[in-house]
Amino acid sequence: MYRFLLTPRWWGINVFVVLAIPFCLFMGSWQLGRFEDRVDDHRSATERTGADDRAEARPLAELLPVTKETSGERVSATGRYAEQFLVPDRTLDGKQGHYVLGMLRIEGGPALPVVRGWRPGAADPAGVPAPPAGEVTVTGALQGSESPGSDGARTAGGLPPGQVGMISAATLVNLVPYEVQGAWVTLDPADGGMTAVPAAAPQNTGLDLKAFQNLGYTGEWFVFSGFVLFMWFRLLRREVEAARDVELGLAPAAGPDPEAPVEGSGTRPVDQEAGKAPV
């Protein structure tokens, strides 16, 4: 009854199943590992941010370039404020507002973007505190340049002069006549009576949409493996039932095609409906 398993067709089916199920399980385990890595990174970044709030500030040069390990660490830099921009549509504690971003010119190096603080309401330059004059030393949390996927980042144009949608060197270098550092600092505490902007976890380390996509892909790969096994059993059962029906005489065994011409007879099959050989 199971001799059909030795046919070329079933050899192909069995080889496919043997290869497909381990592959699906491997891909599901890999996606699950990616999700767990993001959870661990998120936990580590949160713990590190809390510890960095109590740590001594280190010179900026010691923490560049920004990595997952250095993001959020306390840093100090000395320079003079130059241009100032507003970053609209930034939410803090559930309230809509904007950042006040100052460009700190550092002697012998690129300018450092510094978020001096957050203000509620629309990004209106009226009433924005002016940056301190002269040479200043700022202290705050180091952050990597924002990307289009960052919270609150705005990539569309059309902003009024004096506003910028994303805190990144690629954006700011088009607005100022000097080089810009590929990092920024959020002051803690803020100056000018503004609210301090808390440090954010490094990108691709939080429980964001990508993390839950990994979890969703995990379920999909495991479902695929179960679906392959289900279809194999279904095909097997159908073949077994067909073979049993033939043995019991409930279904005709496979034979020659009645419509095929008889070999060596020189005749063609008769069209039974018309009662004559087809033209």
Side-chain angles (χ1 to χ4, degrees):
M1 182 179 298
Y2 291 95
R3 286 177 296 182
F4 62 84
L5 292 174
L6 301 178
T7 61
R9 172 173 173 267
W10 270 93
W11 269 107
I13 293 175
N14 292 335
V15 169
F16 172 78
V17 171
V18 168
L19 295 178
I21 291 179
F23 176 77
C24 291
L25 294 177
F26 169 78
M27 292 300 298
S29 300
W30 181 76
Q31 290 288 351
L32 181 60
R34 291 286 297 164
F35 173 75
E36 292 175 344
D37 289 342
R38 291 180 183 275
V39 172
D40 292 339
D41 287 344
H42 175 69
R43 184 183 300 111
S44 299
T46 302
E47 293 174 352
R48 187 169 58 250
T49 300
D52 292 339
D53 290 341
R54 302 180 296 272
E56 289 290 333
R58 297 166 59 187
L60 175 65
E62 295 183 6
L63 300 175
L64 294 177
V66 183
T67 63
K68 290 182 180 180
E69 288 70 31
T70 61
S71 179
E73 289 201 18
R74 287 178 58 79
V75 66
S76 64
T78 301
R80 295 175 180 270
Y81 279 112
E83 286 84 356
Q84 182 164 271
F85 300 95
L86 301 182
V87 187
D89 302 326
R90 296 302 174 111
T91 303
L92 185 63
D93 296 333
K95 299 178 181 179
Q96 192 73 9
H98 57 277
Y99 294 167
V100 177
L101 178 70
M103 303 300 296
L104 187 70
R105 298 293 304 273
I106 299 175
E107 185 176 357
L112 176 67
V114 177
V115 173
R116 298 177 53 217
W118 175 89
R119 301 176 71 241
D124 187 353
V128 175
E135 188 175 77
V136 295
T137 297
V138 299
T139 302
L142 183 65
Q143 302 279 266
S145 288
E146 293 184 332
S147 69
S150 301
D151 290 341
R154 177 174 175 176
T155 57
L159 291 175
Q163 295 188 20
V164 61
M166 187 166 58
I167 309 174
S168 70
T171 301
L172 293 167
V173 75
N174 298 317
L175 304 177
V176 295
Y178 42 78
E179 293 184 2
V180 179
Q181 190 65 255
W184 55 283
V185 170
T186 172
L187 296 187
D188 185 18
D191 64 12
M194 292 181 286
T195 304
V197 176
Q203 294 186 41
N204 298 324
T205 60
L207 298 179
D208 53 8
L209 178 60
K210 291 183 178 180
F212 290 102
Q213 283 179 339
N214 291 135
L215 190 60
Y217 294 150
T218 298
E220 287 181 1
W221 281 113
F222 288 151
V223 168
F224 289 160
S225 65
F227 180 74
V228 170
L229 191 60
F230 166 76
M231 290 302 299
W232 184 86
F233 275 113
R234 183 174 180 180
L235 289 174
L236 178 67
R237 187 178 66 177
R238 188 176 67 178
E239 292 281 358
V240 170
E241 290 176 349
R244 184 181 294 113
D245 289 344
V246 170
E247 291 181 357
L248 297 176
L250 300 178
D257 186 355
E259 298 295 327
V262 179
E263 186 177 353
S265 65
T267 61
R268 291 181 294 174
V270 176
D271 188 339
Q272 297 178 359
E273 291 184 2
K276 60 181 179 179
V279 179

